[in-house]
Amino acid sequence: MTQTNTQFSIDSEGWCEQARKVPSPHHNQRPQADDISLLVVHNISLPPGEFGGPWIDDLFLGRLDPAAHPYFADIHHLRVSAHCLIRRDGELVQYVPFTLRAWHAGVSTFAGREACNDFSIGIELEGTDTLPYTPAQYAVLASVTHALQQRFPAITTERITGHSDIAPGRKSDPGPSFNWSYFLQLLRPI
């Protein structure tokens, strides 16, 4: 379901009202509930380089079948989640309310502050470091970002970053295929 022309809104519990909700057990309370000041852009594809299918949902729900693909044998035990996923067609899937701590960043540092999960929101784009993202993904990411910035004003444009920037040497996403200039242009007020 493409949601490129949708204006997103976030309810009082931290759910995006326009997203498909798939609640993940992989989350917990933030150390400071009102400390949400960073947006982290990621990418994911399961199996690597393949799109569609139930595998991302299954990973974030803790039910990935290790026998379904050889790659899954090494990752099925992980307890990870993101707040949202934006599929190639622009569908927005939400796993964790924005008000809670999703487990997306791992060992990470931003502006000298460690443990980015404590104060960040993680959004996954279905993709890879090397394949271009779709116009629908950029449009939905920009719309969700606008809604997040309205709800959490500490997420300024300067506090939007990639996973590779908060975990250098360990992570490479969203990769060189992510067009930061284009995305930031979409965020500019009209």
Side-chain angles (χ1 to χ4, degrees):
M1 176 198 320
T2 302
Q3 298 169 311
T4 56
N5 295 322
T6 302
Q7 185 169 9
F8 294 101
S9 56
I10 300 168
D11 70 20
S12 62
E13 294 180 7
W15 290 101
C16 180
E17 296 176 0
Q18 295 75 23
R20 177 170 61 92
K21 293 162 191 63
V22 182
S24 169
H26 302 160
H27 69 277
N28 55 4
Q29 296 293 322
R30 294 179 187 273
Q32 295 178 312
D34 60 347
D35 182 18
I36 300 171
S37 60
L38 181 66
L39 175 61
V40 181
V41 179
H42 302 259
N43 75 34
I44 188 170
S45 58
L46 290 177
E50 295 183 24
F51 306 131
W55 311 118
I56 298 170
D57 287 356
D58 288 352
L59 175 67
F60 291 159
L61 296 177
R63 64 180 191 206
L64 189 63
D65 179 359
H69 187 277
Y71 181 77
F72 299 166
D74 291 332
I75 66 166
H76 79 278
H77 66 283
L78 297 176
R79 297 183 66 204
V80 295
S81 61
H83 289 92
C84 291
L85 165 70
I86 302 173
R87 294 245 180 220
R88 303 292 290 177
D89 66 358
E91 179 190 22
L92 181 67
V93 183
Q94 187 169 3
Y95 302 96
V96 176
F98 298 120
T99 53
L100 298 177
R101 176 171 53 189
W103 303 340
H104 62 94
V107 177
S108 53
T109 304
F110 182 81
R113 186 172 174 194
E114 295 182 351
C116 293
N117 284 339
D118 291 352
F119 58 96
S120 69
I121 290 171
I123 297 182
E124 297 273 2
L125 299 174
E126 187 177 31
T128 71
D129 289 4
T130 57
L131 293 174
Y133 297 94
T134 68
Q137 287 178 297
Y138 284 108
V140 171
L141 180 60
S143 294
V144 170
T145 300
H146 280 295
L148 289 170
Q149 289 178 314
Q150 287 184 356
R151 176 73 188 275
F152 307 107
I155 301 176
T156 62
T157 302
E158 296 75 28
R159 295 187 62 87
I160 300 171
T161 192
H163 199 189
S164 58
D165 299 312
I166 63 169
R170 189 175 69 79
K171 293 295 180 176
S172 59
D173 56 313
S177 62
F178 187 75
N179 188 334
W180 283 102
S181 298
Y182 177 64
F183 170 59
L184 294 173
Q185 181 182 340
L186 292 176
L187 289 183
R188 290 191 189 119
I190 298 172

